[in-house]
Amino acid sequence: GESVGLHLPTLSVQEGDNSIINCAYSNSASDYFIWYKQESGKGPQFIIDIRSNMDKRQGQRVTVLLNKTVKHLSLQIAATQPGDSAVYFCAERKTGNQFYFGTGTSLTVIP
Amino acid sequence: DTAVSQTPKYLVTQMGNDKSIKCEQNLGHDTMYWYKQDSKKFLKIMFSYNNKELIINETVPNRFSPKSPDKAHLNLHINSLELGDSAVYFCASRLGTPSSPLHFGNGTRLTVT
C-alpha cells in the first residue's frame, strides 16, 4: 500500500505486504531528514535518517528514499507487521538546527 | 536508563493558572527542544536551546518560556493558561553534530479547563 503523505493521512495494509509512506518537504536547503514512528501514548521514535548527499538508505526492513529534485521523501517498510501500526512522521532540518515535521501518516496493519 | 524524561505525564489545570513542565536528559546532549502536538497529531517546534543560543518560534506566545538550569534540563513555564494551550508537549534533545537525530520524551498531556 502507498500513501500520498500530506494529502492522505491514513494508510491500511495487509500484514506481510510492503508499505510506502510519502512525504513532501518544503525547503530545498534542508540537508538532513529523519523518519519517526509514534505509537499511542508515546513520543516519536527514531526509525531511520538520511543526509541530502544520499538518495537511498536501508535499515532493518526499512528503506528511505530521497528525491531532492521534487523535494520528496519516502519510507518503505518491507513485510509489514501488526507492530508497525503507528503514526509515521518525516522531519527535515532547516537552518539553525530547527527540525520541522510533516503532517504524519497513520498506518494500520490488517492481520 | 538513558532517556529523555518529562514530568508530569498528565497535567489538568484551569484557565489563568501558571504551570511548569520539567524535562531532563541524561544522554549528554547539547541541544534541547520543546514541541507541541495538537489533536491532529501535528508536531510544531516551539523552542530550541543550547548553552549558547535560544531560538524561539515566532508563533509561540510570550506566555511560554523555557528555562534551563543546566545543560541536562529544559523546563517549560506557561503563564496565564488558555483553553487553546491544551495539547501534548514533547521535550527532545540531540547532540550538536550535523547528522544527529532528535530523541523524544514520552510527552506531557496538558488539559486546560
Side-chain angles (χ1 to χ4, degrees):
Chain A
E2 184 169 347
S3 80
V4 192
L6 299 178
H7 302 291
L8 187 65
T10 61
L11 175 65
S12 295
V13 298
Q14 292 285 339
E15 182 178 357
D17 287 352
N18 297 333
S19 302
I20 300 175
I21 300 171
N22 296 301
C23 180
Y25 64 91
S26 61
N27 191 334
S28 57
S30 294
D31 63 353
Y32 177 53
F33 304 88
I34 312 171
W35 279 101
Y36 283 91
K37 172 186 181 183
Q38 186 179 21
E39 296 174 292
S40 180
K42 295 185 179 180
Q45 287 179 282
F46 171 85
I47 302 173
I48 192 167
D49 57 1
I50 189 167
R51 296 204 67 181
S52 59
N53 60 355
M54 301 173 69
D55 298 323
K56 178 179 179 179
R57 191 161 189 226
Q58 288 184 294
Q60 190 175 17
R61 285 201 306 118
V62 294
T63 301
V64 55
L65 298 177
L66 176 62
N67 185 330
K68 293 179 287 293
T69 303
V70 295
K71 293 188 286 186
H72 183 269
L73 197 66
S74 69
L75 176 70
Q76 300 177 2
I77 305 174
T80 315
Q81 302 169 357
D84 296 327
S85 293
V87 178
Y88 289 81
F89 295 94
C90 65
E92 61 180 305
R93 184 179 70 177
K94 299 184 181 180
T95 56
N97 285 318
Q98 304 296 291
F99 286 80
Y100 288 83
F101 282 74
T103 303
T105 298
S106 177
L107 174 66
T108 300
V109 181
I110 304 165
Chain B
D1 290 343
T2 55
V4 180
S5 57
Q6 300 178 224
T7 54
K9 187 171 176 63
Y10 300 98
L11 182 55
V12 180
T13 188
Q14 291 184 325
M15 286 175 56
N17 286 348
D18 303 337
K19 289 292 178 185
S20 295
I21 305 172
K22 295 185 177 181
C23 179
E24 175 182 6
Q25 55 92 7
N26 61 3
L27 299 165
H29 287 170
D30 309 300
T31 306
M32 297 184 73
Y33 300 77
W34 278 103
Y35 280 81
K36 178 181 181 181
Q37 187 171 49
D38 62 23
S39 58
K40 297 181 181 178
K41 298 289 190 181
F42 183 66
L43 276 161
K44 182 178 177 182
I45 188 168
M46 301 177 70
F47 306 100
S48 69
Y49 182 78
N50 62 26
N51 60 1
K52 299 175 185 176
E53 188 177 28
L54 170 66
I55 299 177
I56 303 171
N57 184 305
E58 64 273 10
T59 65
V60 175
N62 59 14
R63 298 181 295 103
F64 290 78
S65 59
K67 291 198 169 40
S68 180
D70 55 56
K71 188 178 164 183
H73 296 82
L74 185 67
N75 303 324
L76 182 65
H77 295 268
I78 316 169
N79 295 325
S80 302
L81 278 154
E82 300 178 358
L83 292 176
D85 298 332
S86 296
V88 181
Y89 292 84
F90 287 98
C91 178
S93 70
R94 64 184 292 270
L95 283 170
T97 53
S99 300
S100 174
L102 295 168
H103 295 252
F104 282 87
N106 280 326
T108 296
R109 181 174 292 278
L110 172 65
T111 303
V112 183
T113 61

